[in-house]
Amino acid sequence: MRPADLAREHGLSTQAVRNYEADGFLPPADRTPSGYRIYTGTHAAALRAYLALTRGYGHPTAGRVMLAVHEDNLDDALLVIDRGHGQLLRDRETLDSVRRAVGDLTGEPAPDPGTRTIGELAHRLRVTPATLRNWEEAGILTPSRDAAGYRVYRAEDVRDAELAHLLRRGGYLLEHIATVVEQIRTAGGTEELAGWQARITDRGVAMLDASARLGDYLALRRRT
């Protein structure tokens, strides 16, 4: 197979295929005596796996997985994939908690589970304290202050921060996130959250497809 044969299936340029090989996302191709690349069904399966991984996990993760596979570090590749599924699960749980919080706004107040410092909340979300301060400046978070002037995050602040984290990972601008959080604070609709549910579902399906494509490629590698 020629580079053009692989490229045509996915609507890519032949240069893109050559670049993927140079980056290590495809196994090295043999060459003809005149120097032209020769690709096989194994290369085609590798390209299908890489592109499916990009749709499910993003380009950086897809690249790390393929590099690990080609370095015969299968456990490293699977660890990267496991982390992607872990992030998807956290996104689902965050979305569920925000929906419950919206319901709580219109019902009886929930017991206060206590407060958190900026460091504790940052650790919970796996962000930096500077990120939380930026969200405060954008109007997303409105923590109170204790007698010493330190920020204090209550249950509703944690809810707002979890929602902001979810939307930020999806590429929402801070100004847009501030608007959504304000809607949640006032017990508004969940149209934005419904859109995020659809995106999470799409990503989950894409991850399943990527697993199947990667499994096909690994099977071919074992036979060749």
Side-chain angles (χ1 to χ4, degrees):
M1 302 174 72
R2 301 167 302 167
D5 298 323
L6 269 68
R8 188 178 304 112
E9 177 182 347
H10 306 284
L12 300 171
S13 67
T14 56
Q15 185 59 51
V17 174
R18 289 191 287 266
N19 289 344
Y20 292 153
E21 181 193 347
D23 291 337
F25 306 153
L26 305 182
D30 291 331
R31 301 276 185 147
T32 66
S34 55
Y36 291 103
R37 289 174 173 83
I38 301 175
Y39 291 121
T40 66
T42 301
H43 292 91
L47 182 58
R48 293 186 193 109
Y50 171 70
L51 294 177
L53 286 164
T54 62
R55 290 189 290 271
Y57 300 88
H59 289 278
T61 297
R64 287 196 295 273
V65 170
M66 297 305 288
L67 287 173
V69 167
H70 294 147
E71 293 169 357
D72 293 324
N73 292 324
L74 182 56
D75 285 334
D76 289 350
L78 295 176
L79 178 60
V80 174
I81 291 173
D82 289 344
R83 286 172 176 158
H85 283 280
Q87 184 62 67
L88 182 65
L89 177 60
R90 287 192 294 274
D91 287 351
R92 290 186 186 280
E93 291 172 342
T94 297
L95 189 57
D96 287 343
S97 68
V98 170
R99 281 181 171 146
R100 288 194 298 272
V102 172
D104 291 342
L105 287 173
T106 58
E108 292 297 322
D112 189 350
T115 61
R116 290 180 172 84
T117 66
I118 189 170
E120 290 169 341
L121 182 56
H123 179 74
R124 174 188 174 94
L125 299 178
R126 300 182 182 180
V127 300
T128 65
T131 295
L132 296 179
R133 288 192 288 269
N134 288 339
W135 292 355
E136 183 179 345
E137 291 176 3
I140 297 169
L141 301 180
T142 57
S144 56
R145 303 274 182 156
D146 62 16
Y150 292 107
R151 293 172 175 82
V152 175
Y153 297 87
R154 301 187 184 280
E156 57 270 24
D157 300 313
V158 174
R159 177 206 65 210
D160 294 345
E162 288 177 338
L163 175 57
H165 195 210
L166 178 64
L167 295 176
R168 196 73 179 112
R169 281 199 303 273
Y172 278 70
L173 299 176
L174 293 181
E175 295 81 0
H176 191 167
I177 295 173
T179 300
V180 174
V181 170
E182 180 59 29
Q183 292 173 351
I184 299 300
R185 286 192 191 121
T186 56
T190 58
E191 292 80 5
E192 295 284 356
L193 300 184
W196 262 101
Q197 178 67 70
R199 294 189 186 195
I200 288 175
T201 299
D202 289 345
R203 196 161 87 237
V205 172
M207 286 180 173
L208 288 177
D209 181 59
S211 296
R213 298 290 186 177
L214 182 60
D216 291 343
Y217 177 51
L218 293 175
L220 275 176
R221 282 177 60 86
R222 286 194 293 269
R223 294 200 296 266
T224 56

